[in-house]
Amino acid sequence: MKKQKIYRLLLPLGVILLIACGQNGNQNSSGNAAVLGVLNGVNSGSSVSPEVLKQSNAALTKDIQSAFAKENDGSFTFNDNISFLSNDGVKITGNLFIPKSGAGPFPAVIFVNSWALNEYEYIVPAAKLAKKGYVVFSYNTRGFGTSGGLINVAGPKDMSDLSKGVDFLLTNAPVDATNIGIAGISYGAGISLLGLSKEPRIKTAIAMSGWGSLPDSLYGNQTPRLVWGLLLVTAGYITGRMDPIIAENFGKLLDTNDVATVLAWASERSPNSTVAALNAAGKPVYISNNSQDNLFQPNQILPYFEQLTVPKKLDLNNGIHATAEIGGVLGIENYVWTNAYDWFDYWLKGIQNGIMSKPKVSIQKRFSDTRVTYSTWPNPNKVERTYHLRPMGILSPGKITTTANTTNESDTILSGGTSATTGVPLLSEILDGAVSVPVTTNVNLIDRTNAMVYLSDKLTNPLKVRGRTFYKGRINSSDNSPHVVVYLYEVDIWGTGKLISHGTATLFGVKGKDTDLSVDLQAVAHDFPVGSRIGLAIDNLDPMYAVPKPISLYTTSFKHSTSTASTLRFESE
């Protein structure tokens, strides 16, 4: 039943995705440009009344409203007619919860909406907090809901709006100015982390499914995140008022045009650019992200977390973007929100609830409810396990072994997709992350004309992966900008491989050159059991990612030599 409610919230995203991507999620650059051209034609400046916006959000928020009715016991006031003007005159709207019992001043929590959602997203958690003695303020970021202006993507105008929101809160509610926290999911998480660094009056932040590095999220390893990028751009036009620069910048990434300018724009909006200020202030941070999140992938939040010297906690969960956290929006108790409430109670109310005695880092195992925990990250007791990749035979896959390669050979593949894939965009991710239905393929049947395939012998000891996996090899391509996707599988006795993790990379200016290729696969916690085999596949096409130009035929040779080892390295224990 709980998962059905989650699906109800995720289903509209799937519909938007179909609108954005059509039948083929892996469009080439000209197709992407056409989609963005249509999006740019949307009248983002049209005025929409609050009533119309509320009606358009009714289907998405039905479960939230139902859960709120159960929480609304009369112990707090709920003012749904809040507004203030930002520095540039833009009207920002929101809602305010104030406890009825007690004279105050009360600790306060500010909630920031997710992309494409609005001030009503957090009314259930807000009610729960108000009943516990918090003032809670939720607002529509500019360009969304009934707020004015254009979407600023956590830019300087959003930071100005947040500061004016704190001004409003301190002026109009019985708030303890020394105990103000901020929280949000996705878009709200990024703004929360940036706001914690830049707004001195905010004491702590909870960031759920957010980003540490926006350049890495949008263009990690020089590869645009096609599906999620198109989804965000489309959803922004449908539900908000987009600044045209957003679609323009995404189009530049797809076309590899003026990328440096786009990445500079994204860096300004990245919490990792403000780490020094946050560390100097010593403000505590709780972060929750998800291992199968192909929007804000775990490999971009881990370096941010590692740089923090403040009191901190990280939970890495199974699931795609926001699925581990969205249950709390419906009032469903879960691991993340229990920690979130305890975090605020400790840091804003001084309640000794044990949250700081819990391990700083927990990672949920793939296809399991169990977690591995660590006192810090990187795990000081981690073991690096390196396997060597040997060339393919005429009728056999390449070998994954613990001993070094002793031959000098090359394998050449043609560009193209294979049965190695991340699955159907969004659908496969939801099935994998929410209900542990993995993406599978028979590794023995992956077309080795278009893919490198490697397979180990049966494991005699379990392989406990705890973090990232790194592929390293050497290639020579007939194309100037070859693209690769690397898939890691747990393979059973029949050859069926469960997708455990994957990574991608695009190289530029390498035609005809022997070039080192390094790909970091997404961090996970997974136990390869005794008797299973490690499988690895590398091809050139996946519906999740954009290729740098219209799909063309080219060759990529993978060099295996004694002098330049091809390896698969695991962070393990």
Side-chain angles (χ1 to χ4, degrees):
M1 182 61 69
K2 294 179 181 178
K3 287 169 182 172
Q4 289 176 351
K5 289 184 177 181
I6 292 174
Y7 290 157
R8 250 180 270 174
L9 288 177
L10 291 174
L11 182 59
L13 296 182
V15 173
I16 292 172
L17 177 64
L18 292 175
I19 294 172
C21 299
Q23 294 180 347
N24 182 1
N26 197 6
Q27 300 176 32
N28 60 37
S29 297
S30 59
N32 296 329
V35 172
L36 290 169
V38 172
L39 295 178
N40 278 315
V42 177
N43 183 6
S44 60
S46 60
S47 60
V48 182
S49 70
E51 291 74 21
V52 170
L53 279 171
K54 289 179 181 178
Q55 290 173 10
S56 69
N57 284 323
L60 192 62
T61 60
K62 181 179 179 181
D63 287 337
I64 294 176
Q65 295 288 352
S66 176
F68 174 65
K70 296 177 182 178
E71 295 289 344
N72 191 2
D73 61 359
S75 64
F76 53 82
T77 62
F78 173 48
N79 187 343
D80 191 24
N81 192 30
I82 299 299
S83 66
F84 60 88
L85 294 180
S86 194
N87 288 331
D88 59 355
V90 168
K91 183 178 180 181
I92 304 298
T93 59
N95 57 58
L96 184 66
F97 291 71
I98 300 177
K100 287 184 178 179
S101 61
F106 302 101
V109 171
I110 299 171
F111 279 120
V112 187
N113 63 278
S114 302
W115 188 268
L117 296 180
N118 57 35
E119 64 181 279
Y120 303 106
E121 177 181 1
Y122 303 105
I123 57 175
V124 178
K128 288 180 177 291
L129 287 168
K131 290 194 291 187
K132 296 173 66 174
Y134 290 85
V135 169
V136 187
F137 175 52
S138 297
Y139 71 97
N140 298 298
T141 53
R142 62 172 55 215
F144 284 118
T146 53
S147 287
L150 300 179
I151 299 168
N152 192 232
V153 195
K157 292 180 180 179
D158 277 319
M159 293 300 102
S160 177
D161 296 345
L162 175 58
S163 291
K164 294 296 288 186
V166 175
D167 291 343
F168 171 86
L169 189 60
L170 293 173
T171 302
N172 294 277
V175 171
D176 177 357
T178 64
N179 284 299
I180 299 175
I182 190 170
I185 299 173
S186 186
Y187 188 51
I191 291 177
S192 293
L193 290 177
L194 285 162
L196 183 66
S197 296
K198 296 185 177 186
E199 171 49 63
R201 294 169 293 182
I202 296 178
K203 182 177 183 179
T204 186
I206 295 175
M208 297 177 266
S209 281
W211 68 90
S213 168
L214 196 55
D216 286 344
S217 298
L218 299 175
Y219 198 65
N221 288 339
Q222 302 185 110
T223 305
R225 275 46 182 166
L226 173 65
V227 169
W228 281 99
L230 286 175
L231 173 61
L232 291 178
V233 172
T234 306
Y237 272 116
I238 292 175
T239 64
R241 290 161 297 283
M242 291 269 282
D243 187 329
I245 193 66
I246 301 169
E248 179 183 331
N249 281 344
F250 187 56
K252 287 180 177 179
L253 293 183
L254 293 177
D255 293 332
T256 62
N257 173 35
D258 197 16
V259 169
T261 299
V262 179
L263 297 185
W265 174 89
S267 293
E268 182 184 18
R269 291 157 166 81
S270 296
N272 66 355
S273 67
T274 61
V275 165
L278 182 54
N279 286 339
K283 297 178 180 181
V285 177
Y286 170 46
I287 296 173
S288 169
N289 274 71
N290 303 317
S291 294
Q292 292 77 54
D293 189 341
N294 285 319
L295 174 58
F296 299 139
Q297 297 174 325
N299 284 15
Q300 57 80 39
I301 200 69
L302 286 172
Y304 172 75
F305 183 80
E306 291 172 17
Q307 293 176 71
L308 295 175
T309 59
V310 301
K312 60 184 180 179
K313 180 173 176 56
L314 170 67
D315 289 322
L316 195 58
N317 319 287
N318 282 332
I320 70 164
H321 186 63
T323 53
E325 300 91 1
I326 202 166
V329 171
L330 300 172
I332 299 170
E333 291 187 14
N334 64 21
Y335 185 87
V336 172
W337 279 90
T338 296
N339 282 339
Y341 291 132
D342 285 349
W343 188 267
F344 277 146
D345 282 348
Y346 178 82
W347 287 105
L348 301 182
K349 299 181 78 172
I351 297 175
Q352 300 299 316
N353 50 29
I355 185 66
M356 300 309 293
S357 299
K358 292 183 177 181
K360 284 185 179 179
V361 176
S362 81
I363 307 178
Q364 188 177 4
K365 289 185 180 181
R366 292 284 272 136
F367 319 118
S368 172
D369 290 330
T370 62
R371 290 176 178 267
V372 292
T373 59
Y374 303 98
S375 60
T376 187
W377 192 265
N379 173 19
N381 299 317
K382 75 177 179 181
V383 177
E384 301 248 337
R385 302 192 186 278
T386 299
Y387 289 79
H388 296 266
L389 306 178
R390 298 189 176 190
M392 294 191 296
I394 297 176
L395 298 175
S396 61
K399 295 286 290 184
I400 301 175
T401 69
T402 56
T403 57
N405 177 45
T406 58
T407 60
N408 295 304
E409 296 181 23
S410 295
D411 290 309
T412 300
I413 64 173
L414 293 173
S415 57
T418 67
S419 59
T421 175
T422 55
V424 179
L426 281 187
L427 176 60
S428 295
E429 297 170 85
I430 293 170
L431 291 175
D432 183 352
V435 292
S436 295
V437 176
V439 175
T440 62
T441 190
N442 191 299
V443 174
N444 294 324
L445 300 181
I446 296 174
D447 187 352
R448 293 196 288 273
T449 303
N450 299 104
M452 292 298 303
V453 180
Y454 302 93
L455 198 60
S456 75
D457 292 332
K458 292 180 181 179
L459 297 177
T460 56
N461 294 295
L463 171 62
K464 298 181 178 181
V465 180
R466 301 291 186 262
R468 293 165 293 181
T469 300
F470 301 90
Y471 164 82
K472 179 184 177 182
R474 176 166 287 187
I475 66 170
N476 190 303
S477 179
S478 66
D479 192 85
N480 200 46
S481 50
H483 170 73
V484 299
V485 186
V486 182
Y487 308 90
L488 175 67
Y489 295 99
E490 177 196 307
V491 183
D492 66 15
I493 191 173
W494 310 108
T496 300
K498 291 193 299 186
L499 183 64
I500 304 304
S501 184
H502 78 281
T504 185
T506 306
L507 301 177
F508 292 94
V510 299
K511 183 177 181 179
K513 302 175 184 178
D514 285 355
T515 305
D516 289 331
L517 172 65
S518 297
V519 181
D520 57 322
L521 282 62
Q522 295 305 314
V524 296
H526 179 70
D527 294 344
F528 285 80
V530 171
S532 69
R533 291 178 290 174
I534 305 167
L536 192 74
I538 308 173
D539 67 13
N540 304 102
L541 204 60
D542 190 276
M544 190 63 62
Y545 303 102
V547 294
K549 63 180 183 180
I551 298 171
S552 60
L553 186 65
Y554 62 89
T555 61
T556 302
S557 295
F558 288 77
K559 308 285 187 175
H560 302 88
S561 69
T562 55
S563 60
T564 305
S566 295
T567 59
L568 192 61
R569 179 167 56 89
F570 297 97
E571 293 181 337
S572 181
E573 67 178 26

